[in-house]
Amino acid sequence: MTEVDQPLALDHQHALDRDCTTLSRHVLQQLQSFSAEAQDLSALMNRIALAAKLIARRLTRAGLVEDALGFTGRTNVQGESVKKMDVYANQVFISVFEQSGLVCRLASEEMEQPYYIPENCPIGRYTLLYDPIDGSSNVDINLNVGSIFSIRRQEGNDLDGTAQDLLQNGHQQLAAGYVLYGPSTMLVYSIGRGVHAFTLDPSLGEFILSSENIRIPEHGPVYSVNEGNFWQWEESIRDYTRYVHRHEGYTARYSGALVGDIHRILFQGGVFLYPGTIKKPEGKLRLLYESAPLAFLIEQAGGSASTGTQKILDVIPEKLHARTPLIIGSPEDVALVESFIQEHNREQRDRPILTSKD
Ligand code: AHM
Ligand code: MG
């Protein structure tokens, strides 16, 4: 081989390596073990990948098939209008896991109570928590949406079927990640050993490793927030947005789908915020299905996730569908938002209490 040939040969080798690393192989490599738990995690990720492929297939043809777009006319447990795609994707996860022998129940944003694997099906040791279609307002206009997932080991008892044992902090997650249905379908996951991204190769029907050990930049230019809520926020969040308006180097990006916004921030840095509003002090995003899984992932990439006063992973939900304010992304940018909140809280505390004599 000549010197001139060598770089080409290396490139070729690199391409070949990429083509060969499938999701299930990657999980086993990460755990460096063929233990029962490693096999389970690999199988769980494989099932999530299958659900993602089924949902991606429906999304790519949504404008051509009947009953894929639009609303069902129902509202979910959160009082939000349910889309046909929400129902479809929710059911896909159930169907894919029902006979898997991997989970004992699935809890989703779309179901008031978890779905328990029936007794005539093999029952597994894990619980899957998920948001089947995140950002579903984007579905009807063919923009990006996502799915978010989290895996927890079944530990407590759930004898009365109310899943109170799931009311634990985010450190209990074994794995978490998301699927982004964009120009390509990507699956990004962590099992507590870094963050890795896979791209669906439709010709193979396989998710192939595309970025390994992703590290979020310490700081980035993007701030991602729905500024339509400006007058409903607390003064601290308004002050933060005034700060980024007045300083060079910031740019706003907001897609209406959390997964897409987080994906951008994971690779390019910045911060995503969904703060509380006057009407909804807890904000909009659900702890168990959205905030905690994404916090797990972003922390694994070197980022931070906070309610403004507490780390998201430390929050213990009071109920299954509890919401939290979410500030997530590059550590410096999250810290900046927190500093406005802390300053505001300090001012509130130190404000003299006026009595009727004053
Ligand atoms: P959904 O899971 O019901 O779609 O709601 C979550 C979505 C997020 O993806 C997104 O960041 C947010 O809601 C957008 O909400 P808003 O329209 O209030 O900005
Ligand atoms: Mg969502």
Side-chain angles (χ1 to χ4, degrees), residues 27-28 35-45 101-102 125-126:
V27 177
L28 292 173
S35 65
E37 182 139 299
Q39 300 277 2
D40 283 351
L41 277 175
S42 171
L44 282 157
M45 289 307 305
L102 292 164
R125 302 192 285 149
Y126 304 91

Side-chain angles (χ1 to χ4, degrees), residues 105-236:
R105 58 189 170 179
L106 296 98
S108 130
E109 185 179 305
E110 298 299 332
M111 300 185 287
E112 189 163 359
Q113 293 298 330
Y115 177 85
Y116 291 86
I117 300 297
E119 278 174 11
N120 58 349
C121 298
I123 295 176
R125 302 192 285 149
Y126 304 91
T127 297
L128 181 80
L129 298 110
Y130 64 110
D131 179 358
I133 295 283
D134 174 64
S136 46
S137 73
N138 280 5
V139 166
D140 292 346
I141 47 165
N142 192 30
L143 290 183
N144 73 280
V145 290
S147 300
I148 305 173
F149 59 87
S150 158
I151 298 166
R152 294 182 185 226
R153 204 182 284 111
Q154 168 67 29
E155 271 163 355
N157 285 324
D158 184 12
L159 299 176
D160 60 356
T162 55
Q164 295 299 301
D165 59 310
L166 281 176
L167 306 183
Q168 293 189 47
N169 68 37
H171 300 286
Q172 308 303 321
Q173 297 173 103
L174 282 181
Y178 61 78
V179 183
L180 172 63
Y181 310 99
S184 53
T185 299
M186 292 188 73
L187 189 154
V188 181
Y189 89 105
S190 177
I191 49 172
R193 294 173 190 228
V195 175
H196 318 286
F198 289 70
T199 301
L200 179 63
D201 181 335
S203 63
L204 296 173
E206 280 278 9
F207 280 99
I208 304 296
L209 180 64
S210 46
S211 305
E212 205 170 18
N213 292 317
I214 302 161
R215 301 299 294 171
I216 189 170
E218 289 287 305
H219 159 71
V222 167
Y223 72 101
S224 186
V225 64
N226 185 346
E227 291 200 55
N229 293 332
F230 188 88
W231 290 110
Q232 302 204 34
W233 295 332
E234 285 209 344
E235 197 55 28
S236 54

Side-chain angles (χ1 to χ4, degrees), residues 80 109-110 131-136 146 148 258-259 284-286 289-290:
E80 297 157 343
E109 185 179 305
E110 298 299 332
D131 179 358
I133 295 283
D134 174 64
S136 46
I148 305 173
L258 173 63
V259 165
K284 178 178 183 190
L285 301 173
R286 279 123 302 206
Y289 319 111
E290 292 167 321

Side-chain angles (χ1 to χ4, degrees), residues 275-340:
T277 58
I278 296 166
K279 280 192 204 141
K280 294 182 179 168
E282 302 305 319
K284 178 178 183 190
L285 301 173
R286 279 123 302 206
L287 182 73
L288 288 173
Y289 319 111
E290 292 167 321
S291 306
L294 294 174
F296 182 88
L297 193 87
I298 289 292
E299 284 207 2
Q300 280 293 315
S304 318
S306 162
T307 62
T309 53
Q310 189 182 12
K311 276 161 92 71
I312 289 284
L313 288 182
D314 292 340
V315 178
I316 299 172
E318 282 174 7
K319 52 182 185 186
L320 215 49
H321 296 284
R323 300 171 195 255
T324 44
L326 177 66
I327 299 154
I328 185 168
S330 296
E332 285 179 16
D333 299 302
V334 172
L336 179 65
V337 181
E338 285 178 325
S339 70
F340 280 90

